Amino acid sequence: METISENACFGGVQGVYRHKSDSCRCDMTFGLFLPEEARDENVPLLWYLSGLTCTHENAMTKAAAQGWAAEHGIALVFPDTSPRGEGIANDDAFDMGQGAGFYVNATEDPWKPHFRMWDYVAEELPALLARNFAIDAERQSITGHSMGGHGALTLAMNLPERYRSVSAFSPICNPASSDWGRKQLSGYLGADESKWARHDASLLMREKGFDGPMLIDTGTNDQFIELLRPETLAEAIAARRQQAAFRMQPGYDHSYFFVSSFMEDHIAFHAEALWT
């Protein structure tokens, strides 16, 4: 593992690291914030999964998360959103290929050799963090924005004992029935829609739910709200009687101005679960 940078940040360290990924068969880069407490003990970990076109850097520099994480003594990890580099499949559109891994393991060409973001986030990167940093692997929670909100919700519901809490900012809630989803799920996983269900938060909510606290925020002025389909997740939460706070925030859009406005709420929400 290569250290790209380490900077003092709110009493802790914001680092950026690169390593060779077995899952994605390429070099992968991630950001990791460790609070001051990590100098003396293992600390809880909050995952932040980013959205379409993002790298590890977007949320690391725009989400205003480190200060709140430092206040609660929580580490933050910012993975990349896809494999990248020469010889790795891509698409001219912004919503497919590099920068748009959708947190699935691709089974279709040309994506399947490298696009295994599910294994990377669920297995490989957690193990690497536990081996190399002061992380308490028994105390993890997860959040994300847009495509990353989709990833956070689907990982949490498919790995029921992994995360103590889950939240999402403007998640893609029903990709199996949305133009932000059908293209990607069919491209990565093939035409058999039965294989898509484990990557659709609204369908998973009806089937499994999540055994823990959940927080969802979406802006009423989100310019992509028809693609996000938040109403499908709200209906599924109500039908299952899931423990959840589902909030439509008046006037907010899809940007990091929205994410940073409610980051304090989300980190405090996760801190309560992580330190209990």
Side-chain angles (χ1 to χ4, degrees), residues 74-96:
I74 293 171
L76 293 168
V77 62
F78 306 97
D80 203 347
T81 56
S82 78
R84 298 177 190 272
E86 212 173 310
I88 295 174
N90 203 6
D91 191 277
D92 290 338
F94 75 95
D95 58 357
M96 192 81 180

Side-chain angles (χ1 to χ4, degrees), residues 37 44 67-74 264 267-268 271-272 275:
E37 290 84 348
W68 303 117
E71 187 172 302
H72 292 284
I74 293 171
E264 179 184 6
I267 290 183
E272 183 175 356
W275 285 111

Side-chain angles (χ1 to χ4, degrees), residues 37-65:
E37 290 84 348
R39 297 171 186 168
D40 301 314
E41 60 181 335
N42 288 351
V43 295
L45 177 65
L46 177 60
W47 292 78
Y48 184 100
L49 305 185
S50 289
L52 290 165
T53 75
C54 291
T55 69
H56 69 281
E57 190 175 18
N58 294 71
M60 191 180 79
T61 58
K62 295 180 180 179

Side-chain angles (χ1 to χ4, degrees), residues 62-234:
K62 295 180 180 179
Q66 290 92 336
W68 303 117
E71 187 172 302
H72 292 284
I74 293 171
L76 293 168
V77 62
F78 306 97
D80 203 347
T81 56
S82 78
R84 298 177 190 272
E86 212 173 310
I88 295 174
N90 203 6
D91 191 277
D92 290 338
F94 75 95
D95 58 357
M96 192 81 180
Q98 295 186 35
F102 254 75
Y103 304 101
V104 302
N105 285 339
T107 58
E108 304 299 306
D109 289 327
W111 314 107
K112 66 181 181 181
H114 299 282
F115 280 71
R116 302 192 62 80
M117 288 301 295
W118 182 277
D119 283 353
Y120 179 70
V121 172
E123 304 299 337
E124 183 177 7
L125 188 53
L128 183 145
L129 295 175
R131 288 195 307 269
N132 292 280
F133 300 97
I135 298 298
D136 183 347
E138 299 301 314
R139 289 184 290 168
Q140 299 185 57
S141 291
I142 191 166
T143 188
H145 173 231
S146 193
M147 178 185 72
H150 139 81
L153 292 168
T154 57
L155 281 156
M157 285 188 272
N158 278 296
L159 303 172
E161 297 182 4
R162 175 71 60 85
Y163 308 103
R164 295 195 178 188
S165 52
V166 59
S167 74
F169 300 88
S170 50
I172 300 172
C173 297
N174 187 206
S177 298
S178 167
D179 287 342
W180 264 5
R182 293 190 63 82
K183 170 186 175 181
Q184 293 83 358
L185 295 178
S186 61
Y188 293 138
L189 303 177
D192 182 357
E193 296 189 19
S194 66
K195 296 178 180 177
W196 303 359
R198 71 188 298 260
H199 298 291
D200 185 300
S202 296
L203 298 179
L204 280 169
M205 178 57 64
R206 291 187 177 276
E207 179 189 352
K208 298 182 178 184
F210 176 69
D211 186 18
M214 176 179 287
L215 171 62
I216 312 292
D217 275 320
T218 301
T220 59
N221 284 4
D222 193 304
Q223 57 270 47
F224 305 112
I225 200 163
E226 298 300 326
L227 297 168
L228 303 176
R229 294 175 56 82
E231 66 280 0
T232 62
L233 183 57

